[in-house]
Amino acid sequence: MKSTTSAFLLRLERHTQLSTDERDIFEGLDREILTRKKRAAVFDPTRADARIAIIKSGWAVSRATSSTGQSTITQIYMPGDVIGLADLGFAAPPHDVQMQTDGVVSLVDRRTLSRLGHNHPRLLALLLSMASLEEVALRDRLHAITRLSAEDRLIHFMLSMKSRTAQLTDQPSDRFPLHMSQKDIGDALGLTDIYVNRLMRKLSSTGQIDVARPYIRITDRENWTKRVGYKDRYANLDTSWISAAS
């Protein structure tokens, strides 16, 4: 896997060519780089405007918690992801955002993003396109949760995680990291950790996956893709409507 220090630009450049000036502008967003420990909040609650974060390394998740204390993982973030673009209309993050592993984040003031949109509208359009990709992938997961069997939900989820981690490497492989416990996976799919454990053992015993924590290898991705009707949203981002770099 390539260095996560450039994961943000690496992901962008999978979909469009950036000029040298554009790369410099995006790299300028990384002025405030902070280390975050596992389970630590990504955002500082005392800083109302610092509501955008770029994941430099590590994984993070957003969680919604019910009045009964039950938790749902609403989104999963990996190196190169931008947190908070979908939350710009709120004064505070609508969900708790925590590090899933130790990692490094770069915090961006919303006013900086506003200036970016004013001075460099093409770059803001690229960021919004990336945000729309995550929104569509989230809808896919919602459909899988409500319409697929528990086993197929898990299969769809692992295919999605494989697609996402593939954004950070040029080496084709069916092996990918999954920095989530069985309880975390259950919280993302509406399943108990006991059920996830049972499903994982079944998929492993039938030779559909090889597990060597934190890595998982899918042995027949093509068959899985057809089985659950999986669409790799991360490979098909359309940026043709965005003006070319000047």
Side-chain angles (χ1 to χ4, degrees):
M1 185 174 287
K2 292 188 177 182
S3 171
T4 53
T5 57
S6 60
F8 174 57
L9 289 176
L10 177 62
R11 289 196 58 191
L12 281 172
E13 291 188 316
R14 282 189 174 275
H15 305 292
T16 191
Q17 183 173 354
L18 298 175
S19 68
T20 300
D21 287 344
E22 288 176 334
R23 287 179 60 89
D24 290 343
I25 291 167
F26 274 134
E27 287 175 348
L29 296 178
D30 290 340
R31 292 194 180 100
E32 187 173 358
I33 297 175
L34 302 172
T35 299
R36 291 284 191 258
K37 294 293 185 180
K38 181 178 179 179
R39 304 302 181 195
V42 170
F43 298 111
D44 182 345
T46 66
R47 298 185 53 192
D49 285 315
R51 295 303 182 204
I52 307 296
I54 301 172
I55 299 291
K56 303 287 288 179
S57 67
W59 286 30
V61 298
S62 64
R63 290 180 179 270
T65 304
S66 69
S67 59
T68 59
Q70 292 179 308
S71 176
T72 299
I73 291 180
T74 56
Q75 189 56 281
I76 301 160
Y77 302 100
M78 301 178 187
D81 283 342
V82 182
I83 304 174
L85 288 177
D87 305 335
L88 289 174
F90 298 87
H95 299 136
D96 294 329
V97 186
Q98 298 179 336
M99 295 302 297
Q100 183 70 8
T101 67
D102 291 351
V104 176
V105 302
S106 175
L107 296 185
V108 181
D109 192 295
R110 288 189 296 180
R111 290 168 294 191
T112 298
L113 194 67
S114 178
R115 290 192 293 271
L116 178 71
H118 181 268
N119 298 322
H120 307 281
R122 166 180 146 81
L123 300 188
L124 181 60
L126 287 172
L127 290 180
L128 294 178
S129 292
M130 297 291 286
S132 72
L133 187 158
E134 298 299 340
E135 174 69 19
V136 171
L138 185 60
R139 292 179 202 168
D140 287 345
R141 176 152 63 94
L142 176 61
H143 173 73
I145 289 172
T146 56
R147 296 302 179 195
L148 299 184
S149 69
E151 184 173 316
D152 284 355
R153 281 186 231 175
L154 181 57
I155 287 173
H156 186 280
F157 176 76
M158 286 195 282
L159 287 170
S160 176
M161 294 297 101
K162 172 66 188 76
S163 295
R164 296 189 64 182
T165 57
Q167 298 290 295
L168 302 176
T169 179
D170 293 323
Q171 300 299 320
S173 173
D174 287 319
R175 185 172 177 262
F176 66 98
L178 185 59
H179 298 290
M180 301 179 72
S181 69
Q182 291 177 350
K183 184 182 184 308
D184 293 329
I185 295 171
D187 287 348
L189 298 178
L191 302 170
T192 67
D193 54 343
I194 295 174
Y195 204 173
V196 171
N197 178 270
R198 186 185 309 161
L199 292 171
M200 292 288 287
R201 285 191 286 110
K202 178 183 177 183
L203 293 174
S204 180
S205 65
T206 55
Q208 297 180 68
I209 57 173
D210 292 328
V211 181
R213 290 291 186 182
Y215 291 94
I216 293 177
R217 185 174 72 87
I218 301 171
T219 60
D220 192 350
R221 186 151 49 109
E222 183 177 356
N223 182 57
W224 267 16
T225 299
K226 292 178 180 177
R227 171 175 167 175
V228 301
Y230 176 73
K231 296 179 177 62
D232 186 354
R233 304 298 187 184
Y234 300 92
N236 297 295
L237 185 65
D238 179 20
T239 60
S240 63
W241 61 278
I242 301 175
S243 59
S246 57

